[in-house]
Amino acid sequence: MSTPNPTKLLQVFNRGKPCGWLGRSKQGFWFHYSSNSSSQPWVSLLMPPSQNFYQHVELFPVFAQYGESLDELHRRNGTQLGTLSFANPDNPVVKQPLRTPPPLMPGQSALLINSQVAQLRRSFADTLVHPETTWPLVQQLQAIKNQADPNNRLHALRWSLQAQLSNGYVLHPRPDMDAYQQQLFGFEALTSVLNLNRRQYCALTQQPHKLALLLAEVARTYCKNAASEIELIQRLFPLLDTQNVQSFLVYDLSNNRENRDQPTVIGFEFLPAN
């Protein structure tokens, strides 16, 4: 019985629109934007379209946060978190997003179409589902949100205020589909922004003081409401330190922006770790 050939090339989509190609070679991995326009959507804060071609020995962190290989990215077609999706031009896979939650183990999650709405806002899943064991953590995040951001000015943890426990599952809207921020296109894990692999990030969490300083510096560098973001990070730090919660940066690139070389970072987002 022959084994299928490993995937060597994927077309990359951003918000459903083709934005480039991701490939594998003997030297490692490469990514090529589909056009030379610097105004096209970014795939990562570290990979602006002002440079058209990128090479990396390991899978680029922005893609590695969704899978460890091109084959895994291909299998997750249409189900990954964020605005990126992938297709294999030689072996296309089309999967309907799940409409009912599959069996979930502690720590697992799934993306679902909300069957209660007549028309989907976008052409992919808009609901994130966790097992019931996540509910105490979500309630803790709700309390932290209310204490640190009583006026709901920050993007972070808005999803937790809408999370519900129903039939043994915890359901909440996807943060990158937040009704407050319909123009988002970038939702990037902190490990990707810092260009760290999972092993390097785990090593960083073994130095809590250094991790706290790094998160605060990222907030000061990228975020408009840095002081409020840092206060929220301090309240969340016990959960970040134990890796029960993952941190992301959410950024926006509007078509009418004059300076297209630097997206606007809306702020941090925090999700239960998968």
Side-chain angles (χ1 to χ4, degrees):
M1 180 177 176
S2 61
T3 58
N5 293 326
T7 304
K8 293 185 178 181
L9 180 67
L10 289 176
Q11 187 172 14
V12 182
F13 298 82
N14 196 337
R15 295 181 68 180
K17 297 180 180 180
C19 70
W21 301 86
L22 174 63
R24 178 174 55 188
S25 65
K26 292 181 180 180
Q27 290 73 34
F29 295 87
W30 56 266
F31 175 76
H32 196 295
Y33 276 103
S34 57
S35 77
N36 293 319
S37 172
S38 60
S39 63
Q40 63 187 306
W42 300 32
V43 296
S44 167
L45 284 170
L46 292 176
M47 300 169 64
S50 55
Q51 178 177 328
N52 192 255
F53 183 78
Y54 290 85
Q55 285 185 299
H56 203 277
V57 175
E58 299 178 338
L59 186 61
F60 299 94
V62 65
F63 304 124
Q65 64 182 316
Y66 303 128
E68 297 181 355
S69 67
L70 298 193
D71 291 311
E72 189 173 347
L73 292 177
H74 185 218
R75 288 194 297 270
R76 297 197 67 186
N77 179 37
T79 64
Q80 77 287 332
L81 181 64
T83 56
L84 299 181
S85 57
F86 310 88
N88 185 340
D90 298 322
N91 183 25
V93 172
V94 178
K95 294 182 180 179
Q96 285 286 357
L98 296 167
R99 293 183 180 271
T100 56
L104 294 176
M105 298 295 290
Q108 289 186 323
S109 61
L111 296 177
L112 308 175
I113 274 183
N114 185 352
S115 59
Q116 301 302 316
V117 257
Q119 289 186 336
L120 299 175
R121 292 195 299 266
R122 300 185 185 164
S123 59
F124 46 89
D126 63 0
T127 303
L128 193 58
V129 182
H130 298 279
E132 187 175 6
T133 52
T134 310
W135 185 237
L137 174 60
V138 172
Q139 289 181 301
Q140 186 178 359
L141 295 175
Q142 290 174 341
I144 292 174
K145 172 69 171 179
N146 288 326
Q147 293 169 4
D149 185 26
N151 295 319
N152 201 21
R153 292 176 177 173
L154 300 181
H155 180 275
L157 298 180
R158 281 179 176 161
W159 64 266
S160 68
L161 302 180
Q162 303 176 56
Q164 297 181 352
L165 178 63
S166 177
N167 299 321
Y169 295 97
V170 179
L171 298 90
H172 64 74
R174 286 175 54 170
D176 56 329
M177 306 284 284
D178 192 336
Y180 291 94
Q181 301 287 353
Q182 286 297 308
Q183 300 305 315
L184 301 183
F185 82 78
F187 195 79
E188 191 168 352
L190 183 63
T191 52
S192 174
V193 176
L194 298 176
N195 201 21
L196 299 175
N197 59 37
R198 188 176 297 275
R199 177 180 55 79
Q200 292 169 324
Y201 184 74
C202 289
L204 181 61
T205 60
Q206 303 304 312
Q207 307 175 65
H209 180 67
K210 184 176 180 180
L211 177 60
L213 291 176
L214 179 62
L215 290 173
E217 186 60 31
V218 171
R220 279 190 287 268
T221 301
Y222 286 102
C223 301
K224 293 187 297 183
N225 302 310
S228 299
E229 296 281 4
I230 291 172
E231 180 184 353
L232 182 58
I233 289 169
Q234 291 173 342
R235 292 175 182 267
L236 287 168
F237 190 75
L239 298 174
L240 292 166
D241 184 29
T242 56
Q243 300 186 56
N244 289 328
V245 171
Q246 285 183 302
S247 50
F248 296 78
L249 277 181
V250 181
Y251 58 98
D252 174 32
L253 181 64
S254 301
N255 291 331
N256 58 0
R257 282 180 54 84
E258 294 181 2
N259 179 13
R260 301 180 186 276
D261 293 333
Q262 184 176 0
T264 300
V265 174
I266 296 169
F268 274 94
E269 181 57 279
F270 305 94
L271 294 176
N274 292 332

